[in-house]
Amino acid sequence: MSPTPVTFASPIAAAGYSWEATSAEIGRRYGIDPAAVVRFDLNTAPAPPAVAVRTIAAGRFAAPLSEYPPSDYSLLVDAATAAYGVEREELLVGAGADEVLDLCAKAFLPPAGVAVAAVPTYAMHRVLTEQRPARFVGVPRRGPEDGWRLDAERLRVAARDEAADLVWLCNPNNPTGLAEPHGVIAGLLDDLRADAEAADRAAPIVVLDEAYAEFAGVTLLPLRRDHSNLVVVRTASKAYALAGLRVGFAVARPETIARLAPYRPPGSVSVVSVAAVAATMVDLDAMRQRVASVSLERERWRTALAAIGWPAGPSATNFLLVDLGSPERAAAAAEHLLRHGLVPRTFPAGHLLAAYLRLTVRTPADDDRLVDVAAAM
């Protein structure tokens, strides 16, 4: 018995990709009011920031809704560069981190090229590689006993031997939940550069997805100063709680951003998103309070899940990875939750995490509802 796939066919389903089912579809499938469905699978926030809601309600946009947004997104760029402590020429705006990752694939990964990643990791890294089309080389991470750390030496060797054009990294890693120990990624960057120099070729571009950096309380943005091949990807979807507005950023050395910029559409981020995200990113104290609140709830919930026999490892994100012990038990648990309108993130048969469920931290009431339903299995 394999975990229940909570997906629907995408326009590229023939290539083996599918996206999450909507709450309305889940409601139809299980005979549940869609309003009662709780998404524990998407790693989003329970509610948007009040300042974003007020900004949208007031209609304080840089252009009328009938016009395209200013293509330089200057209001948003000012807010993001201040929040991240970088220069304007070091930052590029995209429609969510996913568009930024897509731009990186287009700019730095040629058709028939090679991308290397430590797996399991964010699924879009493989999707974007294969869409080029290029070859994806997955290097297994260390096991759960080592916190699913990346095997930096094996990753280095794979990048060298495969003459990789691009290396995908995710820190903290999704879906395993932890950041790499201090110095691991810096050392990997140094090693990749040394190997490239020895082979008289350019070092691969390293795309470092830091979607959850605010939860971990650490960023590797400073490494860009010494590594022109590093692109750090950030987002407004997680700590800033604005996934629905679809805003993300690439941060890199100016010469690297210059290579990426020609692939950016001129107006993929709406005037509404520009205004609301800019207003939210100005208030860093509110963001930090939100992160602290989610982190406290995550640990409370982790304890409650462990008490019913659903152990989760430590996490530096807004989700937990719960070990159900076997793919069969994970499948049964997923189906049980779905029948009660609670949507977990599952992993397919044969996946390294087939025995696990990934669960997003929601409100205490929603989290307790899941515990009660799980305990009744």
Side-chain angles (χ1 to χ4, degrees):
M1 183 178 184
S2 60
T4 303
V6 189
T7 59
F8 67 92
S10 77
I12 52 174
Y17 311 137
S18 57
W19 313 140
E20 291 84 359
T22 65
S23 296
E25 181 171 345
I26 291 169
R28 287 192 296 271
R29 187 183 300 178
Y30 290 96
I32 299 167
D33 179 356
V37 172
V38 182
R39 305 302 301 233
F40 289 91
D41 59 329
L42 299 179
N43 293 351
T44 52
V51 65
V53 174
R54 290 195 300 268
T55 299
I56 293 170
R60 297 192 294 268
F61 309 136
L65 295 182
S66 58
E67 303 294 336
Y68 293 112
S71 60
D72 62 359
Y73 303 130
S74 59
L75 184 67
L76 182 55
V77 169
D78 287 343
T81 53
Y84 298 142
V86 303
E87 302 298 324
R88 291 178 64 91
E89 62 271 19
E90 294 182 305
L91 184 137
L92 181 140
V93 177
D98 283 344
E99 184 180 59
V100 175
L101 295 172
D102 184 50
L103 297 177
C104 289
K106 290 174 178 175
F108 305 124
L109 185 56
V114 177
V116 174
V119 295
T121 191
Y122 185 39
M124 284 303 293
H125 297 162
R126 181 168 195 153
V127 171
L128 295 171
T129 298
E130 294 178 344
Q131 285 177 350
R132 290 299 296 143
R135 186 160 59 91
F136 181 87
V137 177
V139 177
R141 290 177 169 272
R142 299 181 185 273
E145 66 281 357
D146 288 329
W148 298 102
R149 289 176 51 191
L150 65 82
D151 190 327
E153 182 58 23
R154 288 185 66 184
L155 193 69
R156 171 196 183 179
V157 170
R160 181 192 66 203
D161 293 353
E162 300 287 350
D165 301 283
L166 188 148
V167 175
W168 299 109
L169 295 177
C170 188
N171 190 57
N173 187 55
N174 174 17
T176 54
L178 289 179
E180 301 302 328
H182 177 73
V184 169
I185 291 177
L188 177 62
L189 285 164
D190 289 338
D191 289 341
L192 292 172
R193 177 165 56 194
D195 289 343
E197 290 172 352
D200 194 25
R201 66 186 301 269
I205 290 291
V206 176
V207 179
L208 175 59
D209 185 342
E210 284 197 334
Y212 303 93
E214 289 89 353
F215 288 94
V218 63
T219 178
L220 299 183
L221 275 171
L223 293 179
R224 77 192 187 284
R225 301 190 186 107
D226 295 323
H227 297 278
S228 62
N229 62 322
L230 177 63
V231 179
V232 180
V233 180
R234 302 295 292 268
T235 182
S237 296
K238 308 302 181 185
Y240 290 99
L242 292 173
L245 292 182
R246 311 307 303 125
V247 171
F249 308 94
V251 181
R253 290 250 293 264
E255 62 268 29
T256 307
I257 292 294
R259 293 176 59 191
L260 190 59
Y263 295 88
R264 179 179 74 84
S268 61
V269 180
S270 74
V271 294
V272 176
S273 296
V274 168
V277 173
T280 302
M281 293 190 78
V282 167
D283 192 348
L284 295 180
D285 285 341
M287 180 273 290
R288 294 184 185 110
Q289 290 170 12
R290 185 180 310 110
V291 166
S293 176
V294 170
S295 298
L296 283 172
E297 171 59 13
R298 181 191 67 217
E299 295 310 306
R300 184 197 72 85
W301 192 35
R302 182 183 173 207
T303 299
L305 287 166
I308 63 165
W310 282 36
S315 174
T317 66
N318 66 341
F319 62 82
L320 292 170
L321 186 66
V322 179
D323 185 358
L324 275 299
S326 70
E328 294 75 20
R329 187 174 181 229
E335 183 67 18
H336 180 73
L337 293 177
L338 285 164
R339 291 189 181 281
H340 289 81
L342 309 176
V343 188
R345 170 70 161 90
T346 61
F347 302 93
H351 193 282
L352 285 169
L353 300 178
Y356 293 76
L357 297 179
R358 193 195 69 193
L359 301 174
T360 306
V361 179
R362 310 303 300 182
T363 66
D366 287 337
D367 295 342
D368 287 343
R369 177 182 163 193
L370 185 144
V371 172
D372 290 342
V373 168
M377 280 187 63

